[in-house]
Amino acid sequence: MKATVDKILEKALIVILSVMLFSVIWQVFSRFILQSPSTVTDEVSSFSLIWMGLLGAAYATGKQLHLAIDLISPKAVAKNPMLYEGIVRLSVFTFGLLVMVIGGARLCWLTFVFEQKSATLEIPLGYIYLVVPISGVLVCYYAINTLIETKKQLKA
């Protein structure tokens, strides 16, 4: 299951990066070559950056490439690695659930209720912000999956 989620996320990130790259190239080309700057590329590249940043953070969580700060000595962790792994994964899961899933869903809901639209593209901003709860669900999934995999490795 994790491999499938990883592949889908990898492909989505490649598409988003391609859209952002094309948008920036078109902006530069239209501004300096055509002498008529495009009006939509700024929003397209900004929204692509938001989606890529949040989905990329979820992907990095799944690959365990995220930033870690070691506050506890490695000797203490070696004595009971499952306890500390559990604390870390529970913290990541809690953040993903409370801030990203619940908070992000509320953000999306409010932007749809108030009918906020982007200035140039005039699309509802709720669609842009939808990446927050999506990424939160992925972060929660990866936190649980990593904890289960770590438990299996420690038992072996």
Side-chain angles (χ1 to χ4, degrees), residues 73-81 84:
S73 73
K75 290 179 182 178
V77 173
K79 289 179 184 173
N80 196 349
Y84 294 106

Side-chain angles (χ1 to χ4, degrees), residues 75-149:
K75 290 179 182 178
V77 173
K79 289 179 184 173
N80 196 349
M82 195 59 208
L83 172 68
Y84 294 106
E85 188 68 27
I87 291 169
V88 169
R89 298 301 158 210
L90 181 63
S91 299
V92 170
F93 179 85
T94 303
F95 174 82
L97 181 66
L98 295 178
V99 175
M100 297 179 79
V101 176
I102 294 172
R106 187 168 187 274
L107 172 67
C108 290
W109 178 73
L110 286 173
T111 56
F112 281 123
V113 167
F114 293 124
E115 298 179 358
Q116 295 177 341
K117 296 184 184 257
S118 67
T120 306
L121 296 174
E122 295 187 18
I123 59 173
L125 286 176
Y127 292 126
I128 305 306
Y129 299 146
L130 195 59
V131 72
V132 178
I134 291 170
S135 296
V137 167
L138 289 167
V139 165
C140 290
Y141 165 74
Y142 282 130
I144 292 169
N145 185 68
T146 302
L147 186 61
I148 291 168
E149 292 299 317

Side-chain angles (χ1 to χ4, degrees), residues 10-61:
E10 287 169 4
K11 289 181 185 350
L13 287 168
I14 289 169
V15 168
I16 293 167
L17 180 62
S18 300
V19 167
M20 187 169 55
L21 179 64
F22 177 75
S23 173
V24 170
I25 289 171
W26 179 252
Q27 176 63 22
V28 171
F29 179 79
S30 66
R31 177 174 293 177
F32 294 109
I33 306 300
L34 301 179
Q35 299 297 315
S36 176
S38 175
T39 57
V40 298
T41 54
D42 182 46
E43 279 190 0
V44 170
S45 61
S46 295
F47 296 157
S48 297
L49 183 63
I50 291 167
W51 273 72
M52 190 158 81
L54 286 167
L55 289 176
Y59 181 75
T61 301

